């Protein structure tokens, strides 16, 4: 019976020490005497040494709580900045302008996870002709691999000069090279641009668009690529949108599209 009581007390105090002592410290009246705190610490230490799996469980729980808070913060930011997500005319998009659901992707052509997602997303696009897809060029690897920035700027120039079809062709061609994580070359970019007949001499200045995308990513809390938002094109809320800050698959994307479509009134 004593062992059971000691175990229960240790479990209780471990939880308190990890999640509640900061609050207790702010109270004017101490919860325990110094002697009691010392004894509780000894019991908790002995128990944790005998059962280190408890620390793993607590760590996993705290990590899950942090991820949930991060997800909530990103969702709130998306709602606040949905106009910038959906209405930037300089940002490439593909699909009906009056689509009820929009899928937004932040990506880098040199990102290996973006490359793995690309064929999945291509299938989703083909399977959902009534959905609008927005492509946010976010060359986060530009300082490491200059082709990251070159490819992003070229993509924006193609969209603004040649339109959606040409852009999507270029976009898919970049990933079709199989060249990521520093392997993409200027020759790859030039070949894909020539295939859609980009006129380099009259190509628009897209620096402002790139900077706007980078600022938006920061406002949304996106620190890496890929990052996706699947939402109704109007009336988005926490209940009908999905924010995916990382790699995903086609099945998850299609489920998110159905969720967004189901939330439209």
């Amino acid at each position: 019976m004593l062992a059971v009581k000691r175990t229960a007390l240790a479990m209780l105090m471990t939880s308190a020490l990890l999640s509640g002592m900061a609050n207790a410290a702010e109270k004017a009246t101490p919860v325990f005497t110094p002697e009691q705190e010392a004894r509780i610490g000894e019991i908790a230490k002995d128990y944790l040494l005998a059962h280190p799996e408890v620390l793993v469980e607590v760590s996993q729980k705290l990590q899950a709580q942090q991820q949930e808070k991060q997800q909530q913060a990103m969702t709130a930011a998306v709602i606040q900045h949905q106009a910038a997500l959906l209405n930037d005319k300089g940002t490439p998009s593909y699909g009906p302008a009056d689509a009820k659901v929009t899928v937004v992707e932040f990506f880098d052509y040199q990102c290996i996870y973006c490359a793995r997602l690309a064929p999945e997303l291509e299938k989703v696009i083909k399977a959902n002709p009534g959905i609008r897809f927005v492509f946010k060029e976010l060359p986060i690897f530009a300082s490491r691999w200059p082709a990251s920035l070159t490819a992003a700027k070229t993509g924006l120039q193609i969209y603004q000069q040649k339109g959606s079809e040409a852009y999507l062709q270029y976009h898919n061609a970049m990933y079709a090279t199989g060249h990521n994580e520093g392997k993409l070359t200027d020759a790859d970019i030039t070949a894909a641009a020539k295939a859609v007949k980009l006129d380099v001499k009259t190509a628009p200045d897209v620096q402002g668009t790139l900077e706007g995308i980078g600022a938006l990513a920061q406002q949304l809390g996106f620190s890496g690529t890929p990052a996706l938002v699947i939402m109704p094109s109007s009336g988005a809320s926490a209940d009908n949108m999905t924010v995916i800050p990382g790699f995903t698959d086609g099945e998850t994307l299609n489920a998110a599209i159905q969720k967004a479509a189901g939330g439209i009134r």
Side-chain angles (χ1 to χ4, degrees), residues 200-211:
V200 179
K201 294 181 180 180
T202 62
D205 181 3
V206 297
Q207 184 61 35
T209 301
L210 269 179
E211 292 175 355

Side-chain angles (χ1 to χ4, degrees), residues 48-156:
L48 292 175
L49 289 173
H51 302 278
E53 69 276 7
V54 173
L55 285 175
V56 175
E57 182 180 351
V58 172
S59 177
Q60 291 174 339
K61 183 176 180 180
L62 288 175
Q63 184 178 9
Q65 290 175 341
Q66 291 171 348
Q67 290 176 342
E68 178 62 24
K69 288 182 180 179
Q70 183 184 32
Q71 191 77 17
Q72 291 174 352
M74 287 188 293
T75 299
V78 166
I79 293 173
Q80 181 181 355
H81 298 286
Q82 57 185 298
L85 274 168
L86 301 175
N87 301 330
D88 181 1
K89 293 182 179 180
T91 297
S93 67
Y94 184 85
D98 60 349
K100 301 299 184 183
V101 174
T102 298
V103 176
V104 184
E105 181 194 19
F106 289 78
F107 66 95
D108 185 327
Y109 289 116
Q110 289 290 264
C111 166
I112 190 170
Y113 294 105
C114 298
R116 292 175 181 173
L117 175 61
E120 292 288 308
L121 186 59
E122 189 173 354
K123 292 176 184 176
V124 172
I125 292 173
K126 291 180 179 178
N128 296 275
I131 304 301
R132 180 173 177 243
F133 294 84
V134 175
F135 301 91
K136 297 287 188 180
E137 302 268 2
L138 186 64
I140 60 173
F141 294 112
S143 61
R144 186 185 306 177
W145 302 309
S148 167
L149 180 59
T150 303
K153 284 186 174 181
T154 302
L156 291 174

Side-chain angles (χ1 to χ4, degrees), residues 174-246:
M174 285 290 92
Y175 287 120
T177 64
H179 296 166
N180 51 69
E181 293 200 312
K183 297 181 179 68
L184 190 67
T185 67
D186 289 339
D188 292 328
I189 300 167
T190 299
K194 283 184 177 179
V196 296
K197 300 180 180 179
L198 172 68
D199 185 349
V200 179
K201 294 181 180 180
T202 62
D205 181 3
V206 297
Q207 184 61 35
T209 301
L210 269 179
E211 292 175 355
I213 293 173
L216 178 60
Q218 289 185 341
Q219 291 167 341
L220 299 179
F222 295 160
S223 57
T225 56
L228 299 105
V229 179
I230 302 91
M231 60 195 296
S233 300
S234 63
S237 70
D239 296 327
N240 58 25
M241 77 163 63
T242 304
V243 180
I244 306 175

